[in-house]
Amino acid sequence: MIAFLSLACSGSVYAQSTFERKLQTGLDSLLSQGTTKNLRDELLPNDILQNLISPSGWGGFGTYIFGGIGGVYPQAYTKTGDLITFAGFCIGDPQKIVNVAVGINSADVSTSSDFSGNIVVSRQIFTGSSIAVGGLQLFASKIQSDAPGSTFYFAFSHAIQSLPSATPGGSKLTYTIGIGNGRFYHKSPDDIKAGRGAHGTAIFGSISYELIKKVNFITEWSGINLGFSLGIKPLHSPLAIGIGIDNVTRYSSNKPNSTFSISYPLSVNR
């Protein structure tokens, strides 16, 4: 934590590439926990974090505000870590029309600056399934940020209907597959310099399985690298905690790094 704060206070800005290229900051996974509402005879995702470093096809249900903080240690090609904060809201019924979630990120926590925006539009389709179209790193500062530009993606998610969760109405097993540009495709200048190539796969995906009640084990491919994490819901509240390890392979980055996210959605009106 000291390393996170020292870098944030130093004025060096790596959080755009570290978090927005590799960590979807709260919009998708946060909104899918417990905010989906089972109005049909189907299993939906359980109420625990489903994704940590890649987007989901699930969005929110109703009107919510949310916020949180994420971190990584160490950052690729450095010995330091960093933090990012995020906040936003969602509105709409994805079973009747769509849900729209809008968020803002601050990649410089100490001064609450270096802002960028996210937007996700989601729609539940056939049984246990949802799609989402999103935009990340929108309006990032070309002066402060090292983001490669805006990122856009499409994701499809499905909750397996034959494996009911310990949470009523939820599924133990969900998966996502998607495609995008930007952070799902472009590697960092450091990766290129290190001979790891300029491009990822553009295809990303994840599998989330409920190990025990209130704990999911998540495997994800971000389009750039592989990650493993736990989604945890420690209290009888919407609090969402994700902890994991990213950059497991040598496809990008020079070493694995730990990541975390703590977030909280608050219902305004369902």
Side-chain angles (χ1 to χ4, degrees), residues 22 72-81 190-191 194 196 225-226 245-259:
K22 290 189 175 293
V72 63
Y73 183 84
Q75 295 183 85
Y77 301 100
T78 76
K79 296 181 180 180
T80 58
D190 287 326
D191 281 332
R196 291 186 169 88
N225 217 313
L226 182 68
I245 184 170
D246 189 16
N247 296 322
V248 173
T249 76
R250 299 302 299 273
Y251 189 63
S252 68
S253 186
N254 63 327
K255 56 183 175 293
N257 59 268
S258 58
T259 61

Side-chain angles (χ1 to χ4, degrees), residues 36-267:
T36 48
K37 193 172 182 179
N38 200 350
L39 301 181
R40 307 184 299 204
D41 185 18
E42 61 184 330
L43 298 180
L44 297 177
N46 61 28
D47 60 350
I48 312 161
L49 197 73
Q50 306 284 322
N51 303 68
L52 184 61
I53 64 169
S54 63
S56 167
W58 297 98
F61 196 115
T63 304
Y64 278 78
I65 58 175
F66 59 86
I69 188 167
V72 63
Y73 183 84
Q75 295 183 85
Y77 301 100
T78 76
K79 296 181 180 180
T80 58
D82 211 345
L83 296 172
I84 190 168
T85 55
F86 54 89
F89 70 93
C90 75
I91 188 170
D93 184 336
Q95 292 182 347
K96 293 181 179 179
I97 308 178
V98 296
N99 181 270
V100 179
V102 178
I104 188 169
N105 313 307
S106 173
D108 191 335
V109 175
S110 62
T111 61
S112 297
S113 61
D114 190 12
F115 293 107
S116 64
N118 302 329
I119 184 168
V120 178
V121 180
S122 60
R123 164 78 180 181
Q124 291 181 40
I125 48 175
F126 53 81
T127 302
S129 302
S130 182
I131 56 175
V133 176
L136 311 172
Q137 300 170 277
L138 305 177
F139 314 115
S141 169
K142 294 182 179 181
I143 298 175
Q144 287 183 290
S145 173
D146 59 358
S150 297
T151 288
F152 299 95
Y153 70 88
F154 170 83
F156 166 82
S157 294
H158 179 69
I160 301 299
Q161 299 298 290
S162 58
L163 293 172
S165 165
T167 302
S171 172
K172 278 182 175 289
L173 181 64
T174 63
Y175 67 85
T176 294
I177 186 167
I179 186 170
N181 65 355
R183 72 179 183 90
F184 306 108
Y185 183 60
H186 296 295
K187 294 187 181 181
S188 71
D190 287 326
D191 281 332
I192 297 172
K193 185 178 179 180
R196 291 186 169 88
H199 298 125
T201 62
I203 303 295
F204 59 87
S206 66
I207 298 175
S208 172
Y209 181 76
E210 182 182 76
L211 291 178
I212 58 175
K213 188 174 183 180
K214 305 301 183 183
V215 179
N216 284 344
F217 178 74
I218 307 161
T219 302
E220 298 174 85
W221 176 258
S222 68
I224 302 295
N225 217 313
L226 182 68
F228 301 103
S229 59
L230 294 176
I232 304 168
K233 189 177 181 183
L235 305 171
H236 294 292
S237 75
L239 181 68
I241 297 175
I243 54 174
I245 184 170
D246 189 16
N247 296 322
V248 173
T249 76
R250 299 302 299 273
Y251 189 63
S252 68
S253 186
N254 63 327
K255 56 183 175 293
N257 59 268
S258 58
T259 61
F260 81 90
S261 177
I262 301 173
S263 47
Y264 194 95
L266 179 64
S267 176

Side-chain angles (χ1 to χ4, degrees), residues 7 12-19 75 78 80 82 107 114 146 190:
L7 179 59
S12 299
V13 178
Y14 297 99
Q16 288 297 134
S17 59
T18 301
F19 295 108
Q75 295 183 85
T78 76
T80 58
D82 211 345
D114 190 12
D146 59 358
D190 287 326

